[in-house]
Amino acid sequence: MGKIAFAVHGGAGVILKENMTPEREAQVRVGLKKALEVGQNILTTGGSSLDAVTEAIVILEDLPEFNAGRGSVFNHFGKHEMDAALMSGRELTTGAVASVTGVRNPVRLARAVLEKTPHVLLTSEGAEALALELGLPFESEEYFYTDHRYKQLQQALERNQTQLDHADDGEEDKKFGTVGAVALDQHGDLATGVSTGGMTNKKYGRIGDSPIVGAGLYANNRTCAVSATGEGEYFIRGVVCYDISARMEYLGEDLTRAAQTVIMDRLSDLGGSGGIISVDASGCISMPYNTPGMYRGFLNDKGEAVVRIWEY
Ligand code: ASP
């Protein structure tokens, strides 16, 4: 049986040590560690990379600290519209949902699109109808409500700007973000996933990079699996995740070089900020970001769950 590899993220942005309370830092570290352990259990017992990615994302969606599922940010009208997607590197199968409301775990709905429909991407009411049909859990607006996200919306409305979850708002408790995971399983299959509430004060109906194949995620067993976080519009314009895979495939670059070049040069040149986590078919992990911090974690060679926010 082959090597396993696993990494998760909880968003990138202006995450400053001096603005963060020890409690918040601890909550993020505990959440990411738990997600890593869930994925690790699946992978070490021969489970699939797609299962590991799905279940780790469910853990993070259920935690209010992260901008996905329960802790999703508010749109301009004070509603939650969530995006999520999964992709398998074996046959490039993909399932994605965009602008869904009330669905407890958007990533499970994305999985249903992948496995139970001939489609790749369903949006809003159509996606919600599928969730109802399959009996997936829905939650009330109160479930998705968090005080700090509401305050973020008020601030963004005052400034009349659309705001990345981890924008520099000077508030110590607002640096939590989009979630994602990438995995290599014992069978040599790569998978990736991502889930988000998007950006605070986004327009009604705005869809970010997260459910767009090639922009917010990409997986191909021939190259790598990538999951992104950051200003979605730039990730769509730069086709960031696919660009990393394409550089490996067409230029013969290794994962680290391809990922660094795309984030540090190409995304930065476009004016975009954010980061990615990625793993290649040999289990090498690369997690570059061009922001002050990125919530991220990975399994090291000893199988220990390592969580980092800045360099540490
Ligand atoms: N990429 C997400 C979006 O633009 C936001 C994030 O990563 O926090 O919807």
Side-chain angles (χ1 to χ4, degrees):
M1 280 294 173
K3 180 179 176 179
I4 63 158
F6 194 54
V8 296
H9 72 78
V14 184
I15 304 168
L16 303 174
K17 175 86 180 152
E18 58 271 27
N19 285 345
M20 184 148 27
T21 63
E23 293 73 33
R24 286 295 187 191
E25 185 178 335
Q27 282 169 334
V28 170
R29 289 186 185 274
V30 167
L32 291 174
K33 191 155 185 270
K34 198 168 160 203
L36 283 169
E37 284 163 1
V38 165
Q40 183 176 32
N41 268 338
I42 293 169
L43 294 170
T44 52
T45 51
S48 74
S49 50
L50 200 59
D51 279 347
V53 163
T54 308
E55 297 310 320
I57 291 177
V58 166
I59 295 286
L60 298 170
E61 283 180 338
D62 286 347
L63 291 171
E65 289 82 21
F66 297 94
N67 173 19
R70 187 167 197 182
S72 288
V73 298
F74 289 92
N75 72 6
H76 182 70
F77 293 109
K79 300 277 179 222
H80 299 97
E81 291 179 297
M82 301 172 285
D83 303 333
L86 289 167
M87 184 167 187
S88 156
R90 189 170 40 181
E91 291 166 325
L92 311 193
T93 46
T94 308
V97 293
S99 285
V100 296
T101 300
V103 177
R104 182 186 169 113
N105 292 111
V107 74
R108 290 219 190 280
L109 188 52
R111 181 76 184 250
V113 173
L114 189 158
E115 287 177 340
K116 298 189 193 305
T117 79
H119 307 304
V120 164
L121 173 60
L122 293 185
T123 65
S124 51
E125 289 96 341
E128 289 152 25
L130 177 68
L132 274 175
E133 192 184 309
L134 297 173
L136 295 183
F138 277 74
E139 298 289 348
S140 66
E141 282 192 21
E142 291 76 64
Y143 172 86
F144 294 97
Y145 179 93
T146 47
D147 270 339
H148 65 273
R149 300 278 183 235
Y150 191 70
K151 279 190 218 142
Q152 271 178 321
L153 173 63
Q154 302 313 314
Q155 186 186 57
L157 284 169
E158 265 165 41
R159 291 181 183 171
N160 194 21
Q161 84 189 175
T162 309
Q163 194 164 289
L164 194 62
D165 186 36
H166 347 281
D168 188 10
D169 46 32
E171 299 276 335
E172 66 188 13
D173 62 348
K174 296 179 181 170
K175 317 291 184 192
F176 304 107
T178 289
V179 307
V182 292
L184 168 69
D185 66 27
Q186 291 182 358
H187 319 283
D189 289 325
L190 293 169
T192 177
V194 62
S195 181
T196 187
M199 291 176 69
T200 301
N201 196 24
K202 64 184 180 182
K203 281 199 186 303
Y204 176 53
R206 178 264 188 187
I207 295 169
D209 60 315
S210 305
I212 310 290
V213 173
L217 78 168
Y218 192 72
N220 187 332
N221 278 3
R222 293 154 62 104
T223 53
C224 59
V226 191
S227 173
T229 172
E231 294 168 278
E233 282 69 9
Y234 292 92
F235 281 76
I236 297 173
R237 289 164 54 197
V239 201
V240 165
C241 294
Y242 179 70
D243 202 21
I244 294 171
S245 170
R247 293 186 76 90
M248 292 175 71
E249 192 165 359
Y250 303 141
L251 296 178
E253 289 184 357
D254 64 24
L255 176 67
T256 309
R257 172 116 196 251
Q260 286 281 337
T261 305
V262 170
I263 297 302
M264 299 308 185
D265 299 345
R266 297 182 69 90
L267 178 68
S268 300
D269 288 350
L270 264 183
S273 64
I276 59 104
I277 55 169
S278 58
V279 59
D280 71 12
S282 71
C284 166
I285 287 173
S286 179
M287 306 192 283
Y289 53 96
N290 68 0
T291 49
M294 178 163 80
Y295 298 123
R296 62 205 190 277
F298 61 97
L299 298 178
N300 69 14
D301 286 343
K302 293 183 201 138
E304 295 157 346
V306 179
V307 171
R308 299 222 167 109
I309 299 177
W310 307 278
E311 294 309 309
Y312 50 95

